[in-house]
Amino acid sequence: MCADANGLPYSDQQQQGLDNRIAEVLAQDLGARLSYEWWPQGASTVQFKLREGHCDLIMGVGESYEGMLSTIPYYQSSFVFVYREDSPYQIETLDDEVLRRLRIAIETAGIPPFEALANRGLSEKTAILEAIDPNDRTRSPILEAVAGGEVDVAILWGPVAGYFAKRQPVKLKVVPISPEFEPPALSMVYPVTIGVRAGDEAFRDRLNIAIAHRWEQIQAILNEYGVPQVPLPAPLAQTEEEPAQAFKTLRIGLVIPTQTGSIPVSSSIYEDAGEAARRGAVLAGDELDQQAESMGMRLKVLLASAPSAEAAFRAAARLVATEGVFALIGGIGQGQAEALSRLAEQRRVLFLNIGSPFDRLRQEACGRYTFHLEASAAMYLDALAAWFARTGLRRWFVVYPDSDEGKTLYRRALEALQRHPETGEVGRAAVRPRQADYTAIVQEIRRANPQGVLLLLDAQDQLAFLGQYELEGLEAQVVAFPESIAQTRNFLIALRLTAPQAGAGYRAALWETSLQSGGAGELNARFTSRWGEPMDPPAWAAYASVKVLLEAASSNKGTGSAELVAYLEDPKTSFDLYKGVPLSFRPWDHQLRQPLYLVKPDPEAPRGIDLSHKVGLAQLVGQVPEIPPGADPVPLLDRLGDPAQGSSCRFPGEQQ
């Protein structure tokens, strides 16, 4: 929870505020542990804390607050009049004549009651006093002025008024302002909700259920804090029931970064891949639910928006505990696959990785319950090396991140190149992540005179490097590592703007939106018809993951993790995932065996942002490996990636 450490009556670091108390009640209903990210409340809380994944909810927000999803209201309050109980007058409405004779104070000129006073010619005689002392939030200057007789009546927001009125040395009356609505657009009454990240529908829905379950406790806390309430009907405490046919609902959790606002934040770079995955999973859920129903089951994909690894772990734990998901799909974004794999091992649920290619997850950090729809880095590098060996590129300059992960990637790239006669490196350079100036490295490349440059940087640094490389006019083709976001059409748009020629080299891809054979054309057509967007590789991976999970659950007549793992590891198990041949998981590292594709951006393609222009940005030029009709695909597919011999993957319980 994001909360103000010094924000009474709502919250403080001692957790004495009304929202602290209500959040604890809701956490109990969820079976959750409540923790805090302390931050002064305001627009920056949404931008820098909620959207970045430092917290998952914000209490006390208005309905439809920009950049968030809102729960049902947990109370409704209004602006109020506050005056001494021993005053010789009654105030109930803004039209009471007595107001013209009284000294009025208001908390700020920016609230609806001030405009209403202005409409009545009362604004000039109205003083502005602070509702809460910013240096001592146990004091309310405006109500102290009322209690001391310095002003006759104060106008301020109800929860603040109710809380501090009880703490004055004399009795004060707190009266909701009437009329509640003044045409054309002044409202004195506002519902109060809980805000969660845009895209976090499953969490919002679960909080709605918790609010309904704990409605009476919430109202008791509000009354204890003196909050003046405009009555709301108690919500129905409904939970989802199994259909009348007693179908079993298969719940799958999709944990990905989604678009959370129009202004980018640091995690926004992963949103394109996350949005593609969301569309793929939603399409799969809709299409395959009909198939599940024919087998006596229902299929439900639950979305959680996770901008960071920490947020992904919390979201996955929540989905497992409160929604009963039997499997998780995700792994897009820095550290997210590792976090979800760790959670899967702890909770013994399946995790299908659709975002991280890094080999560590298939080697020393492999997990018994983790399976990989995303190709491994080793597979991508082997595919690229095999393709370019056939085209005659032998002399390579390798640019890689100066990090442990980058060095591992470099060593595996060198191994892939050296598998082919007379192929290897003529130079290399390790660069800092987010390095601003690549001039010295580009000059090194010029001196080495390679035939190709293998660029192992992440997507952001690829754009920066290629922009500078293009300015220098070098001719050696640049081949970039296909991180998931670097495979999206929106990335190709950015690449074309940054480096139209240098960025036009061949690129490896998990999927290609122009594929036609093996049922791919029909799937691509259904996707583009539904969303008006190309089916980027993360969309295919999410769709395929849902399909794999449904088939595994239906074949095993249930969702027991041990049985599902055994089924997926079984050499006889294979899946039709629209790549033209049956696909299966390698038992030694749980990597999906699959062909990869080579695409080439077209710098001369017509510019535009509609579907046809996006599809036309790149062309399919090949598949690795080529699989002849009738051939057994398994040994051919096993040429990509790390073999069983020498694998450092040891699942729990296996002998070292």
Side-chain angles (χ1 to χ4, degrees):
M1 171 176 165
C2 275
D4 195 327
N6 187 28
L8 290 174
Y10 306 108
S11 66
D12 72 352
Q13 205 151 9
Q14 289 71 46
Q15 300 177 36
Q16 299 177 109
L18 66 93
D19 280 333
N20 296 123
R21 295 270 304 280
I22 293 170
E24 186 60 50
V25 165
L26 296 175
Q28 291 169 4
D29 193 82
L30 293 170
R33 179 178 60 85
L34 176 63
S35 59
Y36 285 92
E37 177 77 10
W38 300 110
W39 187 262
Q41 297 300 82
S44 66
T45 316
V46 179
Q47 183 76 352
F48 300 119
K49 292 298 178 179
L50 185 70
R51 290 185 59 203
E52 291 280 18
H54 299 290
C55 65
D56 302 307
L57 63 84
I58 303 172
M59 302 289 290
V61 301
E63 284 186 304
S64 303
Y65 191 95
E66 185 177 1
M68 290 190 287
L69 290 178
S70 294
T71 65
I72 58 174
Y74 60 103
Y75 71 95
Q76 184 170 236
S77 193
S78 70
F79 290 99
V80 296
F81 299 112
V82 184
Y83 56 97
R84 289 174 59 127
E85 196 170 274
D86 60 6
S87 299
Y89 44 78
Q90 299 287 329
I91 306 173
E92 295 180 354
T93 80
L94 289 163
D95 295 312
D96 286 347
E97 281 298 319
V98 70
L99 283 176
R100 299 187 176 277
R101 305 193 303 272
L102 301 180
R103 295 165 296 174
I104 304 170
I106 197 165
E107 61 176 311
T108 177
I111 58 176
F114 184 84
E115 190 171 339
L117 290 173
N119 292 340
R120 291 162 174 79
L122 297 173
S123 59
E124 290 186 3
K125 62 175 296 184
T126 301
I128 307 295
L129 295 177
E130 289 176 329
I132 304 172
D133 187 337
N135 300 312
D136 180 2
R137 291 191 64 93
T138 64
R139 294 183 54 240
S140 173
I142 193 171
L143 293 190
E144 289 174 3
V146 173
E150 298 169 35
V151 297
D152 299 311
V153 60
I155 297 176
L156 67 164
W157 178 235
V160 175
Y163 179 78
F164 285 106
K166 296 172 68 173
R167 286 157 175 77
Q168 301 308 315
V170 298
K171 288 187 176 182
L172 302 180
K173 278 190 174 183
V174 178
V175 180
I177 287 179
S178 178
E180 294 180 351
F181 180 79
E182 182 168 310
L186 292 180
S187 178
M188 307 300 159
V189 174
Y190 291 93
V192 179
T193 74
I194 303 169
V196 302
R197 255 187 309 282
D200 229 345
E201 289 99 343
F203 188 31
R204 176 204 56 197
D205 295 346
R206 185 54 58 176
L207 282 170
N208 285 341
I209 294 171
I211 290 169
H213 282 170
R214 301 298 181 116
W215 186 257
E216 296 302 326
Q217 287 175 265
I218 292 170
Q219 304 315 303
I221 292 168
L222 293 166
N223 290 333
E224 180 184 336
Y225 280 75
V227 176
Q229 293 197 65
V230 178
L232 278 172
L236 295 175
Q238 291 180 336
T239 57
E240 183 180 343
E241 299 291 339
E242 293 291 340
Q245 304 95 321
F247 284 1
K248 178 179 179 60
T249 300
L250 302 175
R251 291 179 172 85
I252 299 168
L254 179 67
V255 183
I256 51 172
T258 61
Q259 191 167 358
T260 56
S262 57
I263 301 173
V265 291
S266 63
S267 59
S268 295
I269 188 167
Y270 299 107
E271 287 179 0
D272 274 344
E275 282 295 318
R278 180 187 66 81
R279 295 184 187 111
V282 169
L283 181 66
D286 290 348
E287 291 186 351
L288 300 178
D289 185 43
Q290 299 176 22
Q291 180 181 331
E293 190 170 340
S294 70
M295 298 182 287
M297 296 181 289
R298 298 302 303 269
L299 182 63
K300 187 170 185 179
V301 179
L302 298 162
L303 173 63
S305 176
S308 66
E310 295 78 9
F313 188 91
R314 293 194 303 269
R318 184 174 69 242
L319 287 169
V320 172
T322 65
E323 303 291 349
V325 301
F326 79 97
L328 299 161
I329 299 171
I332 295 171
Q334 189 173 18
Q336 293 212 21
E338 291 82 352
L340 293 174
S341 181
R342 186 169 71 253
L343 188 280
E345 299 307 304
Q346 291 176 5
R347 302 297 177 90
R348 297 190 175 185
V349 297
L350 289 184
F351 164 51
L352 270 56
N353 166 33
I354 62 169
S356 176
F358 295 111
D359 291 326
R360 186 171 178 273
L361 275 172
R362 286 92 169 159
Q363 296 283 350
E364 64 270 20
C366 65
R368 166 62 71 191
Y369 299 96
T370 298
F371 291 79
H372 307 279
L373 274 289
E374 169 64 287
S376 67
M379 291 171 68
Y380 283 124
L381 293 169
D382 287 345
L384 287 168
W387 176 266
F388 285 105
R390 291 203 302 267
T391 62
L393 268 68
R394 305 291 183 186
R395 304 172 67 252
W396 291 88
F397 192 102
V398 185
V399 181
Y400 60 96
D402 189 9
S403 63
D404 291 342
E405 195 171 79
K407 292 170 185 174
T408 300
L409 197 59
Y410 161 72
R411 288 191 293 269
R412 187 58 181 81
L414 200 60
E415 178 186 331
L417 294 172
Q418 291 173 345
R419 290 180 179 181
H420 304 278
E422 301 178 2
T423 301
E425 68 170 6
V426 296
R428 67 178 183 269
V431 302
R432 300 186 311 276
R434 307 298 176 262
Q435 182 166 317
D437 186 1
Y438 295 97
T439 303
I441 295 165
V442 173
Q443 294 309 315
E444 281 187 59
I445 295 171
R446 188 187 298 277
R447 289 190 293 271
N449 192 29
Q451 293 173 300
V453 176
L454 184 56
L455 189 63
L456 303 180
L457 308 183
D458 71 13
Q460 271 186 285
D461 287 343
Q462 286 180 28
L463 288 174
F465 176 90
L466 285 164
Q468 295 180 37
Y469 188 87
E470 173 128 333
L471 290 174
E472 293 294 329
L474 275 68
E475 294 184 359
Q477 181 177 173
V478 180
V479 179
F481 184 75
E483 189 184 10
S484 61
I485 50 177
Q487 296 187 42
T488 65
R489 281 311 203 261
N490 281 345
F491 181 84
L492 295 185
I493 292 174
L495 188 61
R496 181 170 177 168
L497 293 172
T498 305
Q501 299 302 322
Y506 291 94
R507 305 182 74 84
L510 187 70
W511 180 258
E512 167 53 29
T513 192
S514 61
L515 274 168
Q516 293 298 317
S517 61
E522 291 84 353
L523 177 60
N524 279 321
R526 296 197 305 274
F527 185 91
T528 55
S529 176
R530 170 72 180 272
W531 301 110
E533 293 286 341
M535 191 172 200
D536 284 333
W540 171 83
Y543 186 101
S545 294
V546 175
K547 190 172 189 291
V548 164
L549 291 169
L550 174 60
E551 292 183 16
S554 60
S555 296
N556 281 274
K557 309 302 181 189
T559 55
S561 297
E563 292 79 10
L564 291 172
V565 167
Y567 177 77
L568 295 176
E569 289 180 338
D570 190 332
K572 300 186 188 70
T573 300
S574 64
F575 301 93
D576 176 8
L577 301 177
Y578 312 105
K579 287 197 169 189
V581 293
L583 306 183
S584 59
F585 289 97
R586 294 171 178 157
W588 64 86
D589 63 0
H590 290 179
Q591 174 63 57
L592 185 71
R593 300 177 172 101
Q594 57 187 310
L596 300 175
Y597 303 98
L598 271 293
V599 299
K600 191 171 190 313
D602 181 1
E604 305 302 322
R607 295 176 181 269
I609 59 172
D610 61 18
L611 176 60
S612 62
H613 288 116
K614 286 185 176 182
V615 171
L617 282 169
Q619 298 175 351
L620 177 67
V621 295
Q623 173 183 301
V624 180
E626 293 287 351
I627 303 173
D632 181 359
V634 171
L636 295 172
L637 293 173
D638 279 344
R639 293 177 185 175
L640 299 182
D642 294 325
Q645 297 80 11
S647 173
S648 60
C649 176
R650 296 292 182 273
F651 298 124
E654 289 188 348
Q655 296 296 318
Q656 297 291 327

